Amino acid sequence: MPDLMSRLSSALADRYKIERRLGEGGMATVYLADDLRHDRKVALKVLKPELAAVLGAERFVQEIKTTARLQHPNILPLFDSGTVERPSGATEFLYYVMPFIEGETLRDKLDRETQLGIDEAVKIAAEVAEALDAAHHEGVIHRDIKPENILLHKGRPMVADFGIALAVSAAAGGRMTETGLSLGTPHYMSPEQATAEKEITPRSDVYSLGSVLYEMLTGEPPHSGGSAQAIIMKIVTEPADPVTKIRKSVPPNVTAAVAKALEKLAADRFESAKAFADALTNPAYRLPTAVTVGVGEGGSRRNAITLVGLAIAFVAGFAVALGWSATRTTADSAQPVRRLPLSYDIDDDIGALAPNGEFHVFSAPNSSGEPQLWVRRWRNLEPTPIQGTEGAVGAVAISPDGREVAFSSDFPGPLLAAPIDGGPARTLVESQWAVSTWGGDGMIYFTDSSTAAVGAISRVPAGGGPVEPVTELRDGEVMHLAFRLLPNGRTGLFSVHYNLDGSGAEVWAVDLDDGERKRLALGQNPFYAHTGHVVFGTAEGYLMAAAFDSDALELCSLGGPVLENVRRAILGKVPVYTIAETGTMLYRSGGGSLPVPVLIDRQGVTTGRLREWRGASNPDISPDGSRVTLSHDGDIFVVQLEGGLTTQLTFGEGRNEMPHWSPDGRRVFFTSNRQSSAPDHFDVFSMRADGGGEPRLEFDGEQSIVRARWSPDGQWLLLTTLSEGPTGSDIFGLQPGPDAEPVPLITSRFWDFDP
């Protein structure tokens, strides 16, 4: 079947001669074409197929005509638009045509320079604001102002794709969710766009332009995060830092103008884009009142997460604890955060807080170097050991009355309980993996290691008695962890793990009466807060929160980050934190900021940043330099370096890692445990780079393959294997072919890797 460009060229041959593909935008693929009727170069943009599949063609063409009347030197005009139909009459392509501008986008310039000169940034923003104002007077709101939509031509900014987002939205009607498209780019969305308000005013464009100017001045948008969800929650709930906090040389009038443009409430922003431009160019402009930044300001009236109460900072670089509440009230009810330094040593198993939040139980070495449970009551300066808990390791659970603690003594090992104030421990279960919680129903919930229910959740009466199964493992599930019983006594939350490294873990809810289960979110280690919210951690070090309907077993509000930069355990990437029933939170800080893939040329100059792929790893550039493969959260992706078009190659079947291009650029090789019964055994697979077909097994060895890389001539596949015993990893070479066997290249007693 001919490719998209060939089909398009054939259908429009009487009007346009398509020369080449220029790149990929958020909604369209862009081609350079010759306008045969007018003898000029044009940019022909074809809406993505998933959009064309649900949009009404006539409505789209009608709506996009509203932008044709826009006339302004800083607005890229619309030349043409239309549809291409199949012989059956069904719409195949929706397209629109704009001038082809020699130059670059503002995104290209920012990726290269990071920050712009203040005068240049203000000039660009002011001219874009003038263009927006002209469009607003014609009743057209852009809705998608971002650096990618601002072209720079001979030093003059020109705004592209004016009204395209509106046309798509209007044509789709109520079916936008079918397109998989979110109008507006998360970093530059206004709060009203982020909360999906129906009425969008010109002040939304003012906010987006303020965000673009903020990035031109500081090098980063006003809000960032590891996911679109995290960014949106910050836009709704958190004030942006003043630009002078990052760049002190920004003039007072520009600082004030940016702050006003970024107000949460649309009514508090400039009344027009022209007023924004005037403030940027008026040295005397100041805000009428001082802007103060602090906890609770600018909060949303939609279940905003407000940090309040006790905050404990581990001065040795370990942790912070704080109380928090999620409330529907205004920001005036927010309480100040209080901090108390702690200096004792805590490992990745942070232990548990008492239900009333008044003390902390954790495992740490005693004077003999043996692990033991300790209790730290906040009224005391030092923790004290708990008798009878020598050898205690891993998670602990405190009884609802705060008098006893349940704990493990090995992995797997017996489940024991002991009085916190001293007394002999008693054995409840002979073998289990990890204790989860001590429920208000008098049962202790734990991850079972018995032959009947290995890896699932079971429970045992706190006073001793028969063990009862609570959950059952389904196909592909390796283990259930972190069970939490809700106050209603019939609903439970728990983590479902599909491998042992914590990637791809999910939060599920279960109704204990009928066994019904529902998936809630990607994450792990859930807690139920007294406000009716579920708090859970992500492998990237975020703590998220969302309101929970325990009857429907559903999250029912926008989830957002309660905290960032939470330390993750080495095993399983579990965020290290615990929450008391009162809302006090104890967590270990220092997770580090998520890395952003950066493109650097041979002279060491940064040429681009893949900001949307914060947290991704193992980048590998294609032989022609146009694409890069990345691994993220257990799957493999291919990203076009121009335009950002993304192709997902794997979809959650096992753990997929270490992507590497074949020498001809047609396939991507990677390691995966998808066909192995052991979660830590990886084989070599490959996929077509365009995402077509199914993964193909390339090599199934006795040893787990850490990485596979081709020699440049395509003759050898170099395998890094994980060896048993003290030799660590070794390197083998494989010449693909019938009955090919790996040839040992480096098999020393050391760890040998990354050939």
Side-chain angles (χ1 to χ4, degrees):
M1 184 168 118
D3 61 20
L4 174 63
M5 183 169 163
S6 298
R7 301 199 307 273
L8 192 65
S9 298
S10 176
L12 300 176
D14 61 329
R15 302 174 63 183
Y16 300 104
K17 179 182 177 182
I18 299 177
E19 293 187 1
R20 68 177 188 275
R21 183 177 177 278
L22 293 176
E24 194 83 15
M27 290 181 286
T29 303
V30 187
Y31 296 93
L32 174 64
D34 287 320
D35 183 346
L36 300 178
R37 295 181 181 179
H38 303 96
D39 191 23
R40 59 187 177 184
K41 298 289 185 183
V42 295
L44 192 149
K45 301 190 175 185
V46 182
L47 285 187
K48 290 183 175 179
E50 58 266 32
L51 286 176
V54 297
L55 297 187
E58 293 183 7
R59 184 75 185 276
F60 173 76
V61 173
Q62 178 183 346
E63 292 291 341
I64 205 172
K65 286 179 180 177
T66 62
T67 67
R69 67 176 181 266
L70 297 179
Q71 301 292 324
H72 191 276
N74 297 106
I75 294 178
L76 199 65
L78 177 72
F79 281 167
D80 188 16
S81 62
T83 65
V84 174
E85 295 183 350
R86 297 189 180 96
S88 63
T91 299
E92 184 172 16
F93 303 121
L94 299 177
Y95 69 90
Y96 56 100
V97 182
M98 291 183 162
F100 173 69
I101 300 297
E102 293 285 355
E104 62 179 352
T105 67
L106 179 57
R107 167 57 61 217
D108 295 331
K109 186 176 180 68
L110 286 171
D111 283 343
R112 187 177 65 254
E113 300 180 16
T114 305
Q115 293 169 288
L116 305 188
I118 294 173
D119 291 343
E120 182 182 19
V122 169
K123 179 177 181 294
I124 291 173
E127 292 185 14
V128 171
E130 297 282 358
L132 289 173
D133 191 69
H136 294 162
H137 276 90
E138 295 292 331
V140 179
I141 302 169
H142 193 289
R143 297 173 178 243
D144 197 18
I145 291 294
K146 57 186 178 183
E148 289 83 351
N149 280 337
I150 299 174
L151 305 178
L152 302 176
H153 177 58
K154 298 181 179 179
R156 188 177 82 226
M158 301 190 72
V159 185
D161 285 1
F162 235 111
I164 303 304
L166 174 62
V168 171
S169 179
R175 299 184 297 158
M176 277 305 297
T177 54
E178 297 177 38
T179 70
L181 175 73
S182 174
L183 292 183
T185 301
H187 290 101
Y188 314 99
M189 275 186 178
S190 65
E192 54 267 35
Q193 281 182 297
T195 53
E197 292 186 13
K198 292 183 178 179
E199 295 298 326
I200 300 297
T201 71
R203 298 187 191 215
S204 177
D205 281 349
V206 170
Y207 183 97
S208 298
L209 179 57
S211 299
V212 172
L213 176 55
Y214 192 103
E215 182 174 355
M216 286 193 284
L217 294 171
T218 68
E220 292 289 342
H223 298 290
S224 59
S227 66
Q229 184 186 46
I231 296 168
I232 287 172
M233 195 61 185
K234 288 184 179 181
I235 289 172
V236 172
T237 63
E238 294 185 11
D241 288 332
V243 292
T244 49
K245 182 178 180 180
I246 304 171
R247 192 171 181 180
K248 298 185 183 300
S249 58
V250 177
N253 70 303
V254 176
T255 301
V258 172
K260 187 174 180 65
L262 295 178
E263 286 285 354
K264 301 296 181 191
L265 293 178
D268 292 338
R269 296 177 212 139
F270 291 101
E271 67 274 13
S272 67
K274 178 66 164 58
F276 184 23
D278 291 344
L280 289 174
T281 54
N282 177 12
Y285 178 79
R286 297 293 187 277
L287 291 176
T289 56
V291 177
T292 57
V293 179
V295 172
E297 292 184 6
S300 167
R301 291 180 173 84
R302 294 178 175 82
N303 295 325
I305 305 300
T306 307
L307 303 182
V308 300
L310 178 66
I312 304 169
F314 282 48
V315 296
F318 292 113
V320 168
L322 52 94
W324 67 278
S325 70
T327 176
R328 298 177 186 272
T329 61
T330 63
D332 294 336
S333 65
Q335 302 174 26
V337 174
R338 288 170 287 153
R339 302 180 184 276
L340 172 67
L342 299 176
S343 58
Y344 55 86
D345 186 19
I346 297 178
D347 61 16
D348 281 345
D349 292 307
I350 200 169
L353 286 170
N356 61 11
E358 292 183 357
F359 62 87
H360 174 215
V361 174
F362 60 97
S363 175
N366 57 24
S367 58
S368 302
E370 184 181 15
Q372 184 172 1
L373 293 187
W374 299 69
V375 58
R376 168 70 188 273
R377 303 184 187 276
W378 305 130
R379 64 176 181 266
N380 297 333
L381 293 178
E382 298 291 338
T384 57
I386 299 176
Q387 296 178 12
T389 63
E390 292 81 2
V393 293
V396 300
I398 300 174
S399 62
D401 61 8
R403 295 181 178 179
E404 292 188 287
V405 60
F407 60 95
S408 305
S409 64
D410 203 353
F411 298 114
L415 173 65
L416 304 101
I420 291 177
D421 290 331
R426 64 183 187 277
T427 299
L428 300 175
V429 176
E430 290 297 334
S431 181
Q432 51 91 48
W433 282 107
V435 60
S436 294
T437 192
W438 196 315
D441 59 353
M443 307 291 283
I444 298 175
Y445 293 79
F446 59 93
T447 301
D448 209 328
S449 64
S450 68
T451 56
V454 60
I457 301 295
S458 294
R459 64 184 179 183
V460 64
V467 172
E468 302 175 5
V470 176
T471 66
E472 292 183 358
L473 295 182
R474 297 177 179 176
D475 288 346
E477 298 177 354
V478 173
M479 188 171 287
H480 295 167
L481 293 170
F483 185 90
R484 317 291 179 198
L485 184 69
L486 270 60
N488 63 18
R490 62 177 176 80
T491 306
L493 305 172
F494 61 100
S495 302
V496 174
H497 290 248
Y498 299 94
N499 49 62
L500 298 181
D501 66 2
S503 60
E506 298 172 342
V507 176
W508 284 67
V510 61
D511 188 316
L512 299 185
D513 291 339
D514 58 17
E516 179 187 4
R517 278 175 54 175
K518 282 191 178 179
R519 177 188 180 277
L520 301 183
L522 188 68
Q524 54 185 307
N525 198 18
F527 280 88
Y528 182 77
H530 67 293
T531 57
H533 289 70
V534 172
V535 181
F536 57 92
T538 72
E540 293 80 17
Y542 290 91
L543 296 189
M544 311 296 290
F548 179 61
D549 184 338
S550 58
D551 292 325
L553 301 182
E554 293 178 350
L555 299 182
C556 54
S557 76
L558 174 70
V562 176
L563 287 173
E564 298 183 19
N565 197 30
V566 178
R567 183 70 170 265
R568 290 152 289 166
I570 295 175
L571 179 62
K573 298 182 181 178
V574 182
V576 182
Y577 78 107
T578 183
I579 300 177
E581 291 180 2
T582 57
T584 300
M585 178 184 292
L586 181 70
Y587 71 96
R588 185 173 181 182
S589 65
S593 59
L594 295 175
V596 175
V598 176
L599 302 171
I600 300 174
D601 66 17
R602 291 181 180 274
Q603 285 70 47
V605 177
T606 298
T607 60
R609 291 176 173 83
L610 302 181
R611 289 183 174 87
E612 299 303 322
W613 289 94
R614 188 180 297 271
S617 59
N618 304 311
D620 190 49
I621 297 177
S622 63
D624 64 2
S626 67
R627 296 164 292 172
V628 61
T629 56
L630 296 163
S631 59
H632 183 66
D633 202 18
D635 281 310
I636 306 297
F637 299 82
V638 175
V639 181
Q640 294 277 356
L641 293 180
E642 287 202 15
L645 174 66
T646 300
T647 302
Q648 185 169 351
L649 300 188
T650 65
F651 293 88
E653 186 179 352
R655 177 76 180 170
N656 307 288
E657 297 181 334
M658 299 295 181
H660 180 63
W661 291 92
S662 64
D664 60 8
R666 295 180 179 179
R667 301 190 70 84
V668 174
F669 283 66
F670 58 95
T671 59
S672 177
N673 61 356
R674 61 179 53 224
Q675 290 187 193
S676 174
S677 58
D680 57 352
H681 183 92
F682 287 74
D683 301 313
V684 182
F685 291 80
S686 74
M687 271 284 296
R688 278 174 45 184
D690 61 4
E694 296 294 327
R696 185 172 74 195
L697 178 64
E698 299 286 352
F699 179 73
D700 179 4
E702 294 182 3
Q703 296 176 330
S704 180
I705 307 299
V706 179
R707 191 165 204 165
R709 299 187 70 89
W710 281 99
S711 61
D713 60 6
Q715 298 298 309
W716 287 90
L717 188 62
L718 302 180
L719 306 174
T720 302
T721 67
L722 189 62
S723 306
E724 296 181 359
T727 57
S729 60
D730 296 319
I731 296 172
F732 290 79
L734 180 71
Q735 287 188 298
D739 303 320
E741 291 292 334
V743 177
L745 301 180
I746 303 176
T747 57
S748 73
R749 61 187 179 87
F750 302 103
W751 287 81
D752 309 304
F753 50 88
D754 284 349

